[in-house]
């Protein structure tokens, strides 16, 4: 006797699972140099799998059997990164025949996501979770939630829920690197939407590190791209360049990693030149700005004590740039004049300034959450309490080595510009381009 209908369907399901395993574990069996061939190899495997599925007749199948076959045909077509209308058609038929088929709801949601139908994707993942709790629906819902919301408050609330959904997915399988990766993205979104908390930044990087322990996630170019973007914000530029390079190697057809790496390199060259030449300001003008600096430029920081935005009394001692130490310089304040400005762009977050103190020392100051319209201008005074200081030392890709001292300001409300504290009206939310291609 030949195989039973049940055995035939089991073999069909096994073939689709093998198709996805071939795609997701491609670099466990192929060198990264084979990356340009991956899409074609997956497409060939998909075609062979679909041929097997097309040989199965649904005439003798009951309703659930037909739904299962429709799901497998749609899911197999959904293996590629582009939206497939046939996949949507088969998956839609599957969930109509059997609304309890959670895997079909998840695959249909991913199909809608590729199409840009965010509402449709949300309804699929939310509906699947009403059937049963599962990690795939939870993490996909986390991804979708971060794209929903009209105003800032609504978006923030959705991102907070997104973090909880991703945490729930991780708790269902702590070894699943894809869930950890989605959690890292959720923490990163929350970090930028809710005030740049160091705790959130650490949680984000911890989640990415956990994700990388799973080969499935470690070979995901999105992970390396998003983490590189976070490294860029933290001014860990060599790690950023490595991440962009890894993302580009894993997906050679994806141009953004190399483009962003090139823009970052060009930005750092400009910053290094601005620092080395003190904004290319004429000597007489530079001397005049230095000479004009006085204790009055400290504004409310003058006199050695001030009140923090949290209402706490803080003792601050004015020091020259030359006395700053690596890391946070507690109970100190620095003041200088702006001699150069590089404005924020779509790829470089924050306003970048060259600032000179009374002694003529120059540092680069990067300020997050300030727009071009409200950022300090050349000639303005700027006082920075408890500055976060480091020396940027980078071996540039295919370029010379660069090095310059840097102060990063995550919260502009701590600053005093032209003797006055920066007000909330001068803030703009930071925007980070988190890629969701294959979350």
């Amino acid at each position: 006797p030949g195989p039973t209908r049940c055995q035939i369907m089991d073999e069909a399901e096994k073939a689709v699972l093998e198709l996805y395993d071939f795609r997701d574990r491609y670099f466990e069996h192929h060198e990264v140099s084979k990356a340009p061939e991956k899409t074609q190899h997956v497409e060939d495997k998909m075609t062979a799998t679909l041929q097997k599925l097309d040989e199965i007749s649904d005439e003798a199948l009951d309703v659930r059997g037909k739904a299962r076959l429709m799901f497998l045909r749609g899911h197999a077509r959904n293996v590629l990164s582009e939206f497939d209308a046939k996949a949507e058609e088969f998956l839609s038929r599957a969930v109509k025949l059997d609304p309890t088929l959670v895997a079909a709801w998840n695959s249909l949601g991913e199909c809608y996501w590729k199409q840009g139908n965010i509402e449709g994707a949300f309804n699929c993942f939310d509906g699947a979770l009403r059937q049963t709790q599962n990690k795939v629906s939870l993490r996909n819902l986390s991804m979708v939630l971060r794209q929903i919301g009209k105003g800032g408050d609504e978006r923030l609330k959705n991102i907070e829920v997104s973090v909880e959904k991703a945490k729930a997915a991780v708790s269902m399988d702590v070894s699943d690197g894809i869930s950890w990766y989605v959690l890292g993205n959720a923490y990163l979104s929350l970090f930028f939407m809710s005030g740049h908390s160091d705790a959130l930044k650490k949680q984000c990087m911890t989640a990415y590190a956990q994700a990388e322990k799973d080969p499935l996630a470690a070979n995901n170019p999105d992970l390396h791209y998003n983490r590189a973007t976070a490294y860029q914000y933290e001014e860990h530029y060599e790690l950023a360049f490595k991440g962009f390079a890894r993302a580009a190697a894993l997906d050679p057809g994806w141009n953004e990693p190399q483009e962003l790496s090139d823009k970052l390199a060009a930005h750092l060259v400009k910053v290094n030149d601005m620092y080395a030449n003190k904004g290319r300001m004429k000597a007489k003008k530079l001397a005049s700005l230095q000479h004009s600096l006085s204790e009055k430029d400290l504004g409310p920081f003058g006199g050695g004590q001030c009140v923090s935005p949290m209402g706490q009394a803080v003792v601050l001692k004015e020091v020259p740039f030359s006395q700053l130490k690596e890391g946070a310089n507690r109970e100190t304040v620095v003041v200088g004049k702006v001699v150069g400005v590089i404005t924020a762009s779509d790829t470089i977050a924050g306003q970048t300034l060259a600032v000179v103190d009374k002694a003529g020392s120059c540092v680069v100051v990067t300020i997050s959450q300030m727009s071009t319209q409200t950022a300090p201008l050349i000639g303005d005074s700027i006082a920075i309490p408890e500055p976060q200081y480091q020396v940027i030392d980078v071996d540039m890709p295919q370029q010379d080595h660069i090095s310059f001292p840097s102060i990063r300001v995550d919260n502009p409300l701590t600053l005093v510009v032209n003797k006055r504290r920066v007000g909330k009206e001068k803030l703009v939310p930071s925007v980070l381009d988190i890629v969701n291609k294959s979350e």
Side-chain angles (χ1 to χ4, degrees), residues 245-429:
R246 182 65 177 169
L250 290 169
D251 189 351
W254 184 23
N255 296 325
E256 281 86 345
Q258 188 58 55
E259 288 174 358
L260 197 54
S261 180
D262 291 344
K263 287 178 180 178
L264 175 59
H267 171 74
L268 290 176
V269 169
K270 284 174 65 178
V271 172
N272 195 57
D273 178 79
M274 180 175 69
Y275 158 73
N277 294 288
K278 296 182 179 177
R280 296 192 177 274
M281 184 172 283
K282 292 182 178 180
K284 188 175 180 180
K285 174 69 171 174
L286 185 63
S288 174
L289 285 178
Q290 287 175 232
H291 183 72
S292 70
L293 276 168
S294 69
E295 188 178 350
K296 291 180 181 179
D297 291 304
L298 290 170
F301 299 146
Q305 186 167 319
C306 75
V307 178
S308 74
M310 304 299 291
Q312 299 170 319
V314 180
V315 175
L316 296 173
K317 177 187 177 184
E318 183 187 355
V319 298
F321 293 154
S322 60
Q323 290 186 17
L324 292 177
K325 298 175 182 177
E326 195 87 8
N329 288 259
R330 302 299 182 196
E331 298 185 351
T332 65
V333 61
V334 293
V335 63
K337 288 282 188 174
V338 178
V339 296
V341 175
I342 298 174
T343 58
S345 67
D346 57 344
T347 53
I348 305 299
Q351 307 296 322
T352 308
L353 317 175
V355 181
V356 173
D357 68 5
K358 199 181 302 183
S361 297
C362 186
V363 299
V364 172
V365 177
T366 304
I367 309 174
S368 302
Q369 304 185 80
M370 282 193 93
S371 70
T372 303
Q373 291 74 26
T374 61
L377 304 173
I378 291 174
D380 288 349
S381 66
I382 180 170
I384 308 169
E386 301 190 323
Q388 186 74 30
Y389 177 85
Q390 65 173 322
V391 175
I392 304 297
D393 215 41
V394 187
D395 286 319
M396 301 283 283
Q398 303 174 341
Q399 295 189 52
D400 293 336
H401 180 90
I402 65 167
S403 180
F404 55 83
S406 169
I407 295 173
R408 191 177 80 247
V409 180
D410 291 334
N411 181 8
L413 295 179
T414 63
L415 298 176
V416 166
V417 176
N418 294 332
K419 307 179 182 65
R420 294 184 178 182
R421 278 192 183 275
V422 171
K424 288 184 179 179
E425 72 280 358
K426 293 187 179 289
L427 300 191
V428 293

Side-chain angles (χ1 to χ4, degrees), residues 52-72:
K52 291 181 182 178
L53 295 173
D54 288 342
E55 292 170 3
I56 302 172
S57 171
D58 64 357
E59 289 181 5
L61 297 174
D62 60 13
V63 172
R64 287 199 166 189
K66 289 178 180 178
R68 188 179 175 195
L69 182 58
M70 292 300 104
F71 158 64
L72 292 174

Side-chain angles (χ1 to χ4, degrees), residues 62-71 90-105 131:
D62 60 13
V63 172
R64 287 199 166 189
K66 289 178 180 178
R68 188 179 175 195
L69 182 58
M70 292 300 104
F71 158 64
F90 280 119
L91 293 166
S92 296
R93 289 166 63 186
V95 296
K96 285 176 183 175
L97 288 168
D98 184 2
T100 67
L101 196 53
V102 168
W105 282 114
Q131 301 287 341

Side-chain angles (χ1 to χ4, degrees), residues 156-168:
L156 177 58
K157 184 178 179 181
N158 286 340
I159 290 171
E160 288 171 343
V161 177
S162 165
V163 169
E164 294 308 311
K165 297 296 182 186
K167 285 166 72 175

Side-chain angles (χ1 to χ4, degrees), residues 104-124:
W105 282 114
N106 282 333
S107 193
L108 181 59
E110 291 167 6
C111 199
Y112 284 144
W113 173 262
K114 294 174 189 178
Q115 189 186 27
N117 183 351
I118 305 300
E119 184 180 356
F122 176 90
N123 290 335
C124 287

